[in-house]
Amino acid sequence: MINRIRDVRKQKRMTLSDVAARCDPPTTPQTIGRLETGMRNLSLDWMNRIAFALGVEPELLVRREREDGAKLIARLGDAGAEALPRPLDALLPTALGGDAALVAMAVEASAGEYRAGDQVWLRRFEPGDFGRALNRDVLAPRPAGRFAFGRMIDHQGARVALLPPGAGQRQVVIDGPPWLAVAEMLVRRL
């Protein structure tokens, strides 16, 4: 089995200190570093604690030696493309998880910055978290199985106002949606 704690931590943009502080009970960054490099045995208890701190399923932290998958081999920065110090396992957004479920929306007609053929991955938020979606693109359920999609421009109580993408669109006001799904990732074929 190969330890993927470092790969997951880096893709979640967390430091050793972040993970150590989120463990229950908290631990030291050195301990997390030793566990992710294999200098210390990764017990099931430690795997569960670290998975909780990272917000992922424990089985994501290890993989079989023969398991092949996509690799992150480079990064694009201000100075152009550069090699990573070592390849990392590329993890899907569904694997990186979080507190809420992911849903996806297919784009069939270009609108605003979205092109036909795109897929938009969205994370569901419950009504208590709607304030976090302000000025973000969201998908909102409407009565009779319909949806509205657009930038959330207003939130007052249970009412939300969306501005659909594209020029000349009128705002859509939805009263009391049971959830909102905030756009988190755009998948576009080249």
Side-chain angles (χ1 to χ4, degrees):
M1 295 296 244
I2 295 177
N3 180 332
R4 295 198 307 189
I5 297 172
R6 177 173 284 162
D7 295 353
V8 174
R9 178 179 61 79
K10 287 188 179 256
Q11 288 183 51
K12 300 251 323 170
R13 300 182 200 282
M14 294 175 73
T15 65
L16 292 170
S17 297
D18 295 336
V19 177
R22 291 182 67 183
C23 279
D24 184 26
T27 187
T28 65
Q30 293 82 4
T31 299
I32 301 299
R34 288 181 183 122
L35 288 163
E36 75 177 23
T37 58
M39 293 177 63
R40 205 171 151 186
N41 277 345
L42 182 62
S43 67
L44 190 56
D45 182 48
W46 272 111
M47 197 162 80
N48 288 332
R49 287 173 64 188
I50 293 171
F52 174 78
L54 290 168
V56 299
E57 293 298 318
E59 54 270 7
L60 185 65
L61 300 180
V62 293
R63 71 171 169 85
R64 291 187 179 101
E65 290 187 38
R66 292 187 178 184
E67 186 178 312
D68 288 332
K71 297 285 186 193
L72 288 175
I73 59 170
R75 64 177 154 238
L76 184 61
D78 294 334
E82 60 183 42
L84 292 176
R86 70 175 185 82
L88 301 173
D89 288 337
L91 305 172
L92 294 171
T94 52
L96 291 175
D99 298 338
L102 286 174
V103 293
M105 176 182 73
V107 178
E108 291 189 356
S110 296
E113 60 193 54
Y114 301 99
R115 298 183 196 158
D118 287 352
Q119 252 188 17
V120 182
W121 287 67
L122 309 106
R123 188 167 301 279
R124 283 180 54 156
F125 282 21
E126 298 303 318
D129 294 325
F130 284 1
R132 294 175 37 203
L134 195 59
N135 294 321
R136 308 263 315 266
D137 287 345
V138 302
L139 178 69
R142 298 177 74 187
R146 298 175 300 142
F147 290 95
F149 179 75
R151 179 74 36 113
M152 190 170 100
I153 56 174
D154 193 19
H155 169 248
Q156 292 180 353
R159 182 174 288 176
V160 297
L162 307 181
L163 185 60
Q169 299 291 321
R170 300 180 78 173
Q171 86 174 9
V172 177
V173 177
I174 303 166
D175 196 17
W179 52 266
L180 293 176
V182 179
E184 186 169 289
M185 186 176 77
L186 176 67
V187 178
R188 176 176 291 161
R189 282 193 174 276
L190 298 176

